[in-house]
Amino acid sequence: MRNDYPCTYCKSRRRKCVYADDFDDCLLCMQMEVDCIPCGLSDGEQPLRDGDHQVKQWRRQINQVEHDLDTLRQLMNEHLQWDLRIVNGCIQVASRIRNLDELFEYNQASIRYLSPFEQFFRRELIQFKGVSASVALASTGLIVRHAMPHSTTRHIICHGLHEIAHERMDSLVKLYMERYNSYTGLLHSRSFLEYYHGLEDPLSSPLALAICVDCIAYFYPQLKYSIQETRDMAEFFYVRCKDMVLDILDEPRGRLEAIVATNLLMQYLLDILLEYGEARRLATIALLACHELESQDLSHIQKVLLQRSRVSLQLWICYIDLIIEDRFDFTSIKADTVYMLDDDPAPVLIYLSMWRHVIGLVGSEYITTLMEHVRYSVLHGRPCELSLDLILQFEPTIQKWWNNLPSELRLCDDPFDLNASREAIENVLSSTHMIPLALVHLITAMTQSTLLQPHSPTQDQGNTDIINILRDRAQTLTLCSTQALIYVMKKNLEVDIEAMPLSFGYMMGVLHSVCNIFTCQRIQLPSEMQSMLIYCFTQLHSIVPSDHHIPESSTKLLSFVKTYESNPIVVYSRYPMPRLAMLSDILHTCLRQLNTPA
């Protein structure tokens, strides 16, 4: 029935004011849950209200909840039989949930059927106890964050290096182009080699200098120089390159060369020197130059190389933020802008495809949200809280991403099948092919190991069932992924024995997961896996120069992680390669925590 005198709300919006039978308010006001005031009445003339309007609203809401509950019971009968009840205006499941499949079914049903009235459905956050600060993962960030400015000293470049460096450039460039760039494609090989061989003085090229720096940082175990000589030579190339890069980035010409060169300096600054502040400064300047260079007239090859370096620099920045600020956020990286060139060799195509998919996972909304909830627990052993939805989305999200990988990177059908993963790893001949599987198990081991000790503020049977199911699944996934990570590490040592295997972060992730397993009495790492772990870390430790091993009597790492006093970076900076000294210290400290001889 239309009202001859519209209410103020309908009149102000020029809408029809329609009343339903047996209701004092118009339909629009009821829908918008506002007071229906007849038009023409001033504030002082508004009718007295005794709460009858609010009571009617409550009745309508109760009727709606009861209707939705009946509908929900009917719909759920198509799957499992659930006993539902309303407690304090919230819908709860009274039925016992006996296994993981029923828990998945329950969660999916709640999302599917309860989303229209989620405010009536109780979703308590599940709490997880913290363990202890992760020496493996948190050490680098804490050490760098609490270091005094310029606490790492630059080594003095010895006189006479100019001639020695000039003589060794050709061999370093050759090694880099054949063994590294042929897989990564950060440089266009044909164009660079034509450019390099046309140089009158290679020491005048920042790009050639940066290649030598990156080659030393990656292949130093293979180089036949003393560790001090290696550092001196790298420092000579780095200082000369950095000065040129900073000059060129301020000029319109030569910016692309300076951007690519800056990207190649990152590994030396981070994985050898621990100079995170300097690396962030250079990478930030180079990224600003990338934006300015986009508007210039570039060839197709130049555009592709620019985007590859840009994405690589963005990855370095995100990694630095993770270490320095505990911030896990890779969402800003647009991996789909990394394009292929017609003459890219097959290994480069696979490598770039791998990175596009890896960035797609770590930059996804789900992984970002998950890491936001667990990062302080992973790094610092603090308690955390997660919703049931977030926990149960983990395996389906990972499996969906895994199923979308190209066949050459999807080594098995189910990454959580340990036997299938082990068999696939044994047949791999390239580190590139193992990275997606390694990433899956690294994320799984780090996140699931934080869920080993759940507890709930309420002790009813339903919550206890859920807690037990989640704990058992976290234990299974943690043990499976930790074993898979050890298999990957062993295989990587076999297929890439001339350089530092995998990444520093990967090794620390494995150590972190193993330490968490040893602190959980419910999980036992099989003895053969313990032996394989010790073998892998013995091999890794042999890559660290013997004069970079930190004696147990000199280590301050464990006490620093607890008190933030006596930063061990002072000790590490006395060595030619501070990061390697830190690696040795972390390995020994973690293995001592496990009561395992190094």
Side-chain angles (χ1 to χ4, degrees):
M1 179 181 70
R2 183 164 181 182
N3 185 17
D4 294 333
Y5 301 97
C7 68
T8 55
Y9 188 83
C10 292
K11 184 176 181 180
S12 65
R13 285 155 180 76
R14 298 182 181 276
R15 300 285 296 277
K16 292 181 179 179
C17 189
V18 179
Y19 286 83
D21 295 338
D22 301 326
F23 286 99
D24 296 330
D25 296 342
C26 72
L27 297 179
L28 183 59
C29 288
M30 286 192 293
Q31 179 182 347
M32 302 306 296
E33 298 184 358
V34 298
D35 288 338
C36 186
I37 301 173
C39 189
L41 295 179
S42 63
D43 292 341
E45 297 173 330
Q46 290 181 16
L48 295 176
R49 296 183 177 269
D50 57 2
D52 183 62
H53 171 70
Q54 190 171 16
V55 170
K56 290 180 179 179
Q57 285 185 326
W58 289 343
R59 286 176 178 170
R60 289 197 296 269
Q61 290 175 354
I62 291 172
N63 292 335
Q64 183 64 44
V65 170
E66 291 177 346
H67 171 76
D68 289 339
L69 184 57
D70 291 338
T71 303
L72 180 60
R73 286 196 178 101
Q74 296 174 8
L75 291 171
M76 281 188 166
N77 283 336
E78 300 172 7
H79 302 274
L80 294 172
Q81 182 70 39
W82 300 102
D83 181 15
L84 302 178
R85 62 189 179 190
I86 297 179
V87 179
N88 296 328
C90 298
I91 296 177
Q92 292 185 339
V93 177
S95 303
R96 292 195 62 179
I97 299 174
R98 296 162 294 182
N99 53 50
L100 187 65
D101 290 337
E102 288 189 3
L103 186 57
F104 273 115
E105 186 73 20
Y106 154 70
N107 191 60
Q108 289 301 311
S110 69
I111 293 173
R112 204 179 311 142
Y113 305 132
L114 293 175
S115 56
F117 47 101
E118 186 178 0
Q119 66 271 25
F120 298 113
F121 188 71
R122 174 164 296 175
R123 292 181 179 276
E124 292 181 348
L125 291 176
I126 300 173
Q127 300 173 0
F128 297 88
K129 297 178 181 179
V131 187
S132 60
S134 172
V135 174
L137 291 179
S139 296
T140 303
L142 292 174
I143 288 170
V144 172
R145 209 173 305 147
H146 291 83
M148 297 295 292
H150 309 297
S151 57
T152 55
T153 57
R154 302 219 68 85
H155 281 225
I156 299 174
I157 301 175
C158 302
H159 296 294
L161 268 181
H162 188 283
E163 294 300 325
I164 298 175
H166 197 286
E167 293 173 0
R168 293 174 177 173
M169 282 193 77
D170 285 348
S171 61
L172 291 172
V173 169
K174 183 175 184 294
L175 174 63
Y176 189 84
M177 297 303 292
E178 290 179 355
R179 291 290 314 281
Y180 192 79
N181 190 72
S182 59
Y183 290 92
T184 62
L186 291 174
L187 302 168
H188 185 245
S189 295
R190 176 174 53 81
S191 300
F192 171 75
L193 291 175
E194 289 177 358
Y195 158 80
Y196 179 74
H197 292 309
L199 292 171
E200 293 184 8
D201 180 11
L203 289 173
S204 65
S205 167
L207 186 53
L209 292 168
I211 287 175
C212 293
V213 173
D214 203 23
C215 183
I216 292 172
Y218 191 79
F219 289 107
Y220 75 87
Q222 185 183 351
L223 303 179
K224 308 303 181 184
Y225 319 130
S226 70
I227 197 68
Q228 184 64 60
E229 188 179 10
T230 301
R231 168 66 193 274
D232 289 341
M233 190 162 47
E235 193 70 8
F236 172 82
F237 289 130
Y238 168 73
V239 172
R240 194 178 182 92
C241 176
K242 185 188 74 168
D243 292 341
M244 293 182 184
V245 163
L246 292 175
D247 289 337
I248 295 174
L249 286 174
D250 290 332
E251 300 175 0
R253 295 183 59 186
R255 277 185 177 170
L256 178 57
E257 180 180 357
I259 290 168
V260 176
T262 302
N263 181 47
L264 300 184
L265 298 177
M266 293 295 108
Q267 185 160 278
Y268 176 66
L269 288 171
L270 300 173
D271 288 349
I272 300 296
L273 301 187
L274 289 173
E275 293 193 1
Y276 281 76
E278 180 71 358
R280 175 189 264 176
R281 184 176 76 92
L282 291 177
T284 301
I285 295 172
L287 283 174
L288 291 174
C290 287
H291 294 295
E292 297 172 356
L293 193 59
E294 279 183 327
S295 60
Q296 296 187 15
D297 186 20
L298 301 175
S299 68
H300 177 63
I301 292 177
Q302 289 174 324
K303 290 179 181 178
V304 171
L305 294 181
L306 174 63
Q307 287 304 102
R308 291 180 185 180
S309 290
R310 180 209 289 265
V311 169
S312 183
L313 286 166
Q314 289 174 329
L315 277 170
W316 284 119
I317 287 286
C318 291
Y319 170 69
I320 293 170
D321 288 344
L322 177 60
I323 295 298
I324 295 181
E325 301 178 7
D326 292 342
R327 186 171 73 242
F328 186 99
D329 186 0
F330 293 81
T331 56
S332 61
I333 303 176
K334 307 301 180 185
D336 55 358
T337 61
V338 177
Y339 302 110
M340 315 299 179
L341 292 171
D342 293 337
D343 57 349
D344 276 332
V348 170
L349 297 178
I350 295 174
Y351 181 85
L352 295 177
S353 173
M354 178 272 295
W355 272 113
R356 290 178 68 170
H357 287 88
V358 163
I359 294 171
L361 178 62
V362 299
S364 65
E365 180 180 356
Y366 173 76
I367 294 297
T368 302
T369 303
L370 176 64
M371 294 305 296
E372 177 66 23
H373 282 78
V374 304
R375 56 179 175 151
Y376 291 120
S377 180
V378 170
L379 294 172
H380 307 296
R382 300 176 188 172
C384 63
E385 294 182 331
L386 284 81
S387 69
L388 182 62
D389 290 344
L390 193 62
I391 298 170
L392 294 182
Q393 285 177 41
F394 182 80
E395 288 177 77
T397 300
I398 295 293
Q399 188 69 59
K400 181 179 179 181
W401 174 82
W402 180 260
N403 292 339
N404 289 330
L405 287 173
S407 57
E408 62 269 17
L409 296 175
R410 192 175 63 253
L411 302 183
C412 57
D413 292 334
D414 182 4
F416 298 114
D417 183 335
L418 182 59
N419 291 328
S421 294
R422 181 178 62 233
E423 182 178 350
I425 291 167
E426 290 174 351
N427 296 323
V428 168
L429 299 177
S430 165
S431 299
T432 300
H433 291 83
M434 287 193 293
I435 289 178
L437 184 63
L439 177 67
V440 164
H441 288 294
L442 186 61
I443 292 176
T444 301
M446 287 196 301
T447 57
Q448 296 299 315
S449 63
T450 67
L451 312 183
L452 295 175
Q453 299 186 53
H455 68 101
S456 174
T458 58
Q459 300 298 323
D460 61 80
Q461 187 62 55
N463 281 340
T464 301
D465 290 339
I466 292 177
I467 291 298
N468 291 336
I469 292 170
L470 294 179
R471 184 185 58 237
D472 292 344
R473 189 55 181 167
Q475 292 173 2
T476 300
L477 289 175
T478 300
L479 182 58
C480 169
S481 289
T482 301
Q483 293 181 83
L485 291 174
I486 297 173
Y487 285 126
V488 170
M489 181 178 290
K490 181 176 182 295
K491 184 64 176 181
N492 188 255
L493 286 166
E494 297 170 357
V495 301
D496 194 1
I497 60 175
E498 295 178 331
M500 179 62 78
L502 292 173
S503 68
F504 187 88
Y506 176 86
M507 292 183 285
M508 295 305 100
V510 176
L511 261 182
H512 168 79
S513 304
V514 172
C515 290
N516 275 1
I517 283 181
F518 272 73
T519 59
C520 182
Q521 297 179 352
R522 294 174 174 267
I523 307 179
Q524 180 65 44
L525 192 66
S527 57
E528 64 271 19
M529 297 306 302
Q530 295 184 39
S531 300
M532 190 182 298
L533 176 71
I534 298 305
Y535 165 79
C536 289
F537 281 108
T538 301
Q539 293 297 105
L540 288 170
H541 209 257
S542 68
I543 297 174
V544 178
S546 58
D547 57 358
H548 278 58
H549 293 183
I550 304 294
E552 183 175 355
S553 59
S554 301
T555 182
K556 301 178 180 179
L557 182 60
L558 198 56
S559 62
F560 170 75
V561 171
K562 295 178 180 178
T563 65
Y564 302 161
E565 296 179 357
S566 300
N567 195 327
I569 198 170
V570 177
V571 176
Y572 305 149
S573 62
R574 298 171 187 163
Y575 294 84
M577 296 187 175
R579 181 71 167 207
L580 299 185
M582 173 190 280
L583 173 60
S584 170
D585 201 7
I586 292 176
L587 285 175
H588 274 295
T589 300
C590 289
L591 292 176
R592 281 194 296 269
Q593 282 187 308
L594 300 176
N595 295 317
T596 307

